[in-house]
Amino acid sequence: MRQIQLFDTTLRDGEQTPGCSMNMKEKIDMARQLELLGVHVIEAGIASASQSDFNSVRAVARELHKAKVTSMSRALTKDIDSTWEALRHARYPRIHLLLPTSDTLLENRLKKSRQEVLEQTEQMVRYAKKLCEDIEFSAEDATRSDPEFLAKVFETAIAAGATVVNIPDSIGYATPEEYGNLIRFLRGSVKGAEHVVFSSHCHNDLGLAVANSLSAILAGADEVQCTINGIGERAGNAALEEIVMTLKARSAYYGADTTIDTAQIYKTSRLLSTITGIKVQPNKAIVGENAFAQESGTLPPGMLSGNLSYESMKPEAVGLTTNKIVLGKQSGRHAFNDRVKELGYNVDFALSNTLFKQFKELADKKKTVSDRDIEALVRSILAQEIPKSYALERYVINTGNTITPTSSIALIGEDGSRTEKVASGFGPVDASFNAINKIVGRAVKLEEYSIGAVTEGRDAQGEVSVKISSEGATAKGYGLSTDVIEASILAYINAINNLIYDRSREEQ
Ligand code: KIV
Ligand code: ZN
């Protein structure tokens, strides 16, 4: 059975989505999780784009031991040099070169002739090959390029040392038949095709990104580029989880499979939502809230029997469990740690201590602690794992439907100093954010705010994601509590800490 390589570009193409930018720590957290998921290649960003992108790519390159790490680079020597500088510490580095090939982009953006593009391909792949053995060459806007010219470009790239050739459907324009046919044509006509891996890269403007990627697999592509939750510019990229689960459910049809650890899918999806603050739509295949929900009464007989006769997969296959562990004050650390491990978290000693402490506090407030609660606790701890310029000491809210809400907040600064301020607002959350703004002494604007319940039930934990901006910079924050006002305050403080952390990293 062919094994399809998953090339994850969540940290590059996905991050280009408005509102999805990630700081270095968030990229490292995400990259670690992608490695646990078992993706083969992680595109960590565009190292040559800015100093902070360079730092993030280098940090991810240093962090990973199993996955290949790549960074996209324009086919220019100065970009290739800085890309390699960021990647060279990776255990398995790959340079990802990009050059447009459609006449539209050649004329309007590159302002080069086809002959000049062929020459640039030859020279830049050769240049990059001297630095790195593994070179992926992408022909931007491939699906709107002249196929004969595209074949020549790939032939040139392969002769110069490319190991992977990628055929992006950059504007999400192709249909599955067309895209498959293009790949078939290229595999059959490009000299040297048998020595390289063919890769697909599909955008979802017509809602066809996953279908096109699967068509590419049928046509002989052995690598697919995709993102978690399908995030990406405009309508996004092909969703990794949908491609992987289709291959799992229909491997006989595709004659292909993947070594991805599907039990990590749900966790990876949730981590990305936490980091970006962008939730997946409830009816999203595989990872949406309703993907496995079944309303009894609307189902044909037999559907509730729990076998696969009416389901193409089980929720457990993507790491979704319905288990509940009922652990209270008496529960031992041992049983709790075992459950955390079963959920797929490999936590170190310090993290496991914090986690256990927070679990105990939660078990005091909540009757049952489900796996989802534990996962949310882990997400919250990961989100708070940055230097804390401010920490919440206490808050007091005075609110009602006949008074102006006020909030008094006390924060502890990095140096241990305590500041307390009172402010009013449109509601208790607004009043709290205003009080925090007074303490931090800067103009902070709330750009986005979203709130959700981790589980069902009146004692559920609330999770809040916020995005703030201040002096031209933006940052996100996450907060978790059984009290939604506290969750909001924690998310806001977390965002301010991220803002300060990002700024200090940029200054370094
Ligand atoms: O959509 C696209 O063309 C891309 C390439 C740069 C790979 O993201
Ligand atoms: Zn793209």
Side-chain angles (χ1 to χ4, degrees):
M1 179 89 64
R2 286 165 61 207
Q3 293 295 333
I4 304 302
Q5 309 269 305
L6 274 296
F7 176 122
D8 183 276
T9 182
T10 304
L11 303 180
R12 198 276 298 168
D13 222 350
E15 206 223 5
Q16 285 172 226
T17 316
C20 277
S21 63
M22 297 173 224
N23 65 28
M24 187 161 100
K25 182 191 167 294
E26 290 165 337
K27 285 195 169 181
I28 295 173
D29 287 345
M30 202 56 217
R32 281 194 195 129
Q33 180 56 36
L34 288 167
E35 193 170 60
L36 275 181
L37 177 66
V39 303
H40 307 87
V41 187
I42 294 177
E43 185 158 60
I46 305 178
S48 57
S50 69
Q51 187 60 43
S52 66
D53 286 291
F54 178 91
N55 292 346
S56 295
V57 173
R58 188 178 53 185
V60 170
R62 286 181 170 152
E63 184 70 26
L64 304 184
H65 303 292
K66 287 201 210 123
K68 294 181 183 176
V69 181
T70 192
S71 170
M72 198 175 77
S73 168
R74 290 182 301 179
L76 299 171
T77 52
K78 69 173 178 23
D79 286 21
I80 296 171
D81 286 343
S82 66
T83 301
W84 177 241
E85 190 49 38
L87 283 177
R88 70 195 175 89
H89 297 288
R91 179 129 184 224
Y92 304 111
R94 172 186 288 180
I95 294 178
H96 180 190
L97 288 182
L98 168 76
L99 206 50
T101 50
S102 67
D103 287 337
T104 321
L105 292 189
L106 260 56
E107 276 157 34
N108 299 322
R109 204 171 77 199
L110 211 56
K111 310 221 181 302
K112 284 198 170 164
S113 67
R114 288 185 177 191
Q115 185 53 33
E116 284 171 313
V117 166
L118 285 172
E119 283 162 19
Q120 193 176 350
T121 302
E122 216 271 324
Q123 288 161 6
M124 292 304 103
V125 173
R126 238 177 245 299
Y127 184 82
K129 187 75 174 182
K130 286 203 188 109
L131 304 170
C132 181
E133 170 49 37
D134 197 359
I135 306 292
E136 174 149 357
F137 181 85
S138 281
E140 189 180 357
D141 208 9
T143 50
R144 289 195 304 167
S145 305
D146 168 10
E148 301 290 342
F149 174 61
L150 193 58
K152 268 197 211 148
V153 173
F154 283 143
E155 220 161 87
T156 307
I158 294 169
T163 45
V164 184
V165 290
N166 181 36
I167 300 119
D169 181 28
S170 305
I171 61 160
Y173 169 78
T175 65
E177 296 75 17
E178 258 177 341
Y179 193 59
N181 287 340
L182 177 61
I183 290 176
R184 249 177 236 109
F185 163 74
L186 293 168
R187 286 189 75 231
S189 61
V190 169
K191 228 182 283 153
E194 66 283 13
H195 302 306
V196 297
V197 169
F198 275 73
S199 170
S200 72
H201 177 105
C202 299
H203 279 270
N204 205 31
D205 299 68
L206 296 174
L208 294 171
V210 170
N212 285 346
S213 308
L214 293 166
S215 179
I217 291 171
L218 281 178
D222 284 313
E223 175 184 282
V224 283
Q225 300 197 352
C226 44
T227 59
I228 301 298
N229 297 343
I231 67 164
E233 273 186 300
R234 308 184 308 274
N237 289 59
L240 178 142
E241 60 279 4
E242 295 179 22
I243 296 172
V244 167
M245 292 317 289
T246 304
L247 289 179
K248 287 284 163 206
R250 306 298 310 275
S251 59
Y253 176 74
Y254 285 98
D257 200 351
T258 140
T259 53
I260 292 290
D261 180 1
T262 63
Q264 295 287 338
I265 283 180
Y266 186 72
K267 186 146 53 93
T268 314
S269 162
R270 290 302 296 254
L271 178 64
L272 181 66
S273 293
T274 303
I275 286 175
T276 59
I278 295 181
K279 292 195 165 59
V280 296
Q281 82 225 36
N283 61 329
K284 161 91 176 63
I286 317 296
V287 290
E289 205 54 38
N290 300 342
F292 295 95
Q294 296 179 338
E295 249 185 63
S296 48
T298 63
L299 300 169
M303 197 149 175
L304 295 173
S305 64
N307 64 31
L308 278 177
S309 45
Y310 290 93
E311 303 163 326
S312 53
M313 73 200 124
K314 293 229 161 264
E316 291 80 3
V318 298
L320 243 176
T321 63
T322 47
N323 281 348
K324 289 218 164 55
I325 51 168
V326 187
L327 299 176
K329 281 180 228 160
Q330 274 65 282
S331 314
R333 177 183 287 259
H334 200 69
F336 176 71
N337 284 352
D338 281 354
R339 190 68 207 131
V340 172
K341 253 200 215 125
E342 277 163 30
L343 287 172
Y345 294 104
N346 208 349
V347 293
D348 63 22
F349 184 71
L351 181 57
S352 103
N353 273 345
T354 318
L355 196 55
F356 186 64
K357 196 168 151 267
Q358 295 198 0
F359 160 72
K360 283 287 203 179
E361 282 168 15
L362 183 62
D364 267 348
K365 294 182 193 156
K366 215 172 165 274
K367 258 203 244 145
T368 59
V369 177
S370 71
D371 291 346
R372 287 204 197 176
D373 284 316
I374 296 175
E375 285 168 348
L377 286 180
V378 175
R379 285 199 295 276
S380 150
I381 291 173
L382 286 177
Q384 310 288 334
E385 247 186 353
I386 45 158
K388 285 191 180 55
S389 300
Y390 296 98
L392 176 67
E393 190 208 58
R394 65 164 208 148
Y395 66 93
V396 179
I397 309 281
N398 189 18
T399 191
N401 63 347
T402 55
I403 56 164
T404 301
T406 56
S407 172
S408 166
I409 304 254
L411 300 186
I412 305 295
E414 221 168 2
D415 57 359
S417 59
R418 179 184 188 279
T419 318
E420 184 157 15
K421 296 278 180 203
V422 182
S424 58
F426 295 114
V429 170
D430 185 46
S432 301
F433 291 177
N434 289 338
I436 294 170
N437 285 357
K438 279 191 185 173
I439 296 174
V440 301
R442 57 167 87 197
V444 180
K445 189 168 162 231
L446 179 70
E447 300 285 350
E448 283 163 27
Y449 174 92
S450 77
I451 185 164
V454 175
T455 54
E456 42 312 313
R458 291 171 67 170
D459 58 356
Q461 298 190 89
E463 52 184 352
V464 172
S465 296
V466 298
K467 186 171 149 198
I468 58 167
S469 66
S470 176
E471 294 158 14
T474 60
K476 294 175 295 287
Y478 176 81
L480 178 74
S481 171
T482 47
D483 175 335
V484 292
I485 294 177
E486 183 174 30
S488 306
I489 292 171
L490 290 172
Y492 198 73
I493 296 170
N494 184 225
I496 286 172
N497 286 336
N498 271 322
L499 197 75
I500 296 169
Y501 172 70
D502 287 349
R503 186 146 298 165
S504 70
R505 295 217 57 95
E506 264 160 33
E507 283 162 7
Q508 271 169 28

